Amino acid sequence: MAGSNDKSRIQTDIGQDVIDAAVRSVERHMDDEDEVTVIEVEASGPSTEVEAEASASPADTTSPPSDAEAPPSEDVAALRQEVESLKAQLEFSQAKGRETMERLREAHERAKEAQERTVRHAADLENYRKRAQKEKEEVQRFGSEKLLKDLLPVMDNLDRAIDAAAKSPDLDSFEKGVAMTRKSFEDALGRHGVKGFSAKGQVFDPRVHEAIQQVETADVPAGHVAYEVVRGFYLNERLVRPAMVVVARAPAEPVAAAEPQAVAEPATATTDTEAPAAPAQSENSSGGSQ
């Protein structure tokens, strides 16, 4: 092997395919600035001579890029860290968005169910109001039906008593029939909570008695009920009608009227004694005038 500063000569026995592969490899890895001067291939029998001239050594073709062309490792790490942070924030935002959408969907379902329940309750309330109004009207129209059914037998007994009185003049039988009818009428009222009370002889109570008159009597103490004009009635312990009564008052004392008569007697005597003198004076005056 012999060499100089500008050229290198290599002579050996290699195949043509190896040489072609080497050429293609060199062409791929050489930069645009590298200059290829001569590539010579000589084949003489079994041996091949290769002569190549290059301005740069083969080691220069595989040299790494300069520091100015390669980006700094710190900037790459910072960019990579920022990308990872942005990616994590994006995933967190997506997760929060999915969670928010799920809550909104659940809230919408609950609001829809609440609205449906409100509509059903409003319909039920309206139906109840109509039903209550109808029942109220029925009570007002037919509430006294049971009372009337209990009073109808009383009416029948009164009709029988009138027929019996027309056929027979027996007053005792008529009186007994009327008393029995009144008893049945009172029993019918009692079944419906109506109860009468008597006020005769009791102390006058303005809460249950209504005074229509006062009389002087010594039969009952003053301030008590002397007579009962109309009975009072309760309906289930509630006053329906007060009793109309006559209240007793203490009689006036007769001794207080005798004393003025005793004092008036002297005045009467004096008048009698003075009475005769009046005619004498009239006579004298008449004579004088004549």
Side-chain angles (χ1 to χ4, degrees):
M1 178 182 297
S4 62
N5 294 331
D6 297 328
K7 295 182 180 180
S8 296
R9 184 180 296 274
I10 300 172
Q11 184 175 356
T12 182
D13 294 336
I14 57 175
Q16 185 65 34
D17 54 351
V18 176
I19 294 172
D20 295 338
V23 171
R24 288 192 298 269
S25 178
V26 170
E27 290 177 353
R28 284 197 303 270
H29 291 86
M30 288 179 64
D31 296 330
D32 295 338
E33 297 177 356
D34 295 336
E35 182 179 356
V36 178
T37 305
V38 176
I39 300 175
E40 295 180 355
V41 178
E42 294 181 358
S44 59
S47 63
T48 305
E49 184 179 353
V50 177
E51 183 177 352
E53 293 181 359
S55 61
S57 63
D60 294 337
T61 60
T62 59
S63 61
S66 62
D67 296 339
E69 296 177 358
S73 59
E74 293 82 359
D75 295 343
V76 172
L79 290 173
R80 188 174 298 169
Q81 185 177 1
E82 185 177 358
V83 169
E84 294 294 334
S85 176
L86 292 175
K87 184 178 179 181
Q89 291 179 6
L90 179 61
E91 293 177 354
F92 179 77
S93 299
Q94 290 177 352
K96 284 294 184 181
R98 289 191 296 269
E99 184 179 356
T100 303
M101 290 299 296
E102 185 67 21
R103 288 200 300 266
L104 288 175
R105 187 183 63 81
E106 294 177 357
H108 178 71
E109 293 294 334
R110 290 195 298 269
K112 185 177 180 181
E113 293 177 358
Q115 184 179 5
E116 292 177 355
R117 288 196 301 269
T118 302
V119 172
R120 289 196 299 269
H121 292 167
D124 294 340
L125 181 62
E126 183 64 20
N127 294 334
Y128 174 77
R129 187 188 65 81
K130 292 180 179 179
R131 185 167 58 253
Q133 182 66 24
K134 184 177 180 180
E135 292 177 356
K136 180 181 178 181
E137 293 177 356
E138 290 181 355
V139 167
Q140 291 177 351
R141 293 177 60 188
F142 307 105
S144 59
E145 180 179 1
K146 186 177 180 180
L147 176 62
L148 293 177
K149 288 182 178 180
D150 291 337
L151 293 181
L152 290 178
V154 178
M155 184 70 67
D156 298 337
N157 292 334
L158 288 175
D159 293 338
R160 296 189 186 96
I162 293 174
D163 293 339
K167 295 178 181 180
S168 175
D170 189 358
L171 296 179
D172 294 337
S173 301
F174 180 76
E175 183 180 359
K176 291 180 181 179
V178 172
M180 294 175 62
T181 303
R182 183 189 179 284
K183 182 66 171 57
S184 64
F185 181 73
E186 188 174 0
D187 294 340
L189 293 178
R191 286 193 295 270
H192 293 272
V194 180
K195 182 180 180 182
F197 62 93
S198 178
K200 187 176 181 179
Q202 297 180 359
V203 180
F204 176 76
D205 187 356
R207 296 174 299 178
V208 294
H209 301 155
E210 182 179 351
I212 60 175
Q213 188 181 359
Q214 283 186 341
V215 295
E216 297 180 358
T217 179
D219 296 339
V220 295
H224 287 62
V225 177
Y227 306 103
E228 183 181 53
V229 181
V230 177
R231 295 180 64 191
F233 287 91
Y234 287 106
L235 175 60
N236 296 324
E237 305 302 328
R238 181 178 180 179
L239 184 66
V240 176
R241 188 182 70 179
M244 296 183 181
V245 297
V246 176
V247 183
R249 185 177 59 187
E253 296 181 359
V255 180
E259 293 179 356
Q261 295 178 359
V263 176
E265 288 178 357
T268 305
T270 304
T271 305
D272 294 336
T273 55
E274 293 177 355
Q281 293 176 358
S282 62
E283 289 176 359
N284 294 332
S285 60
S286 63
S289 60
Q290 292 177 356

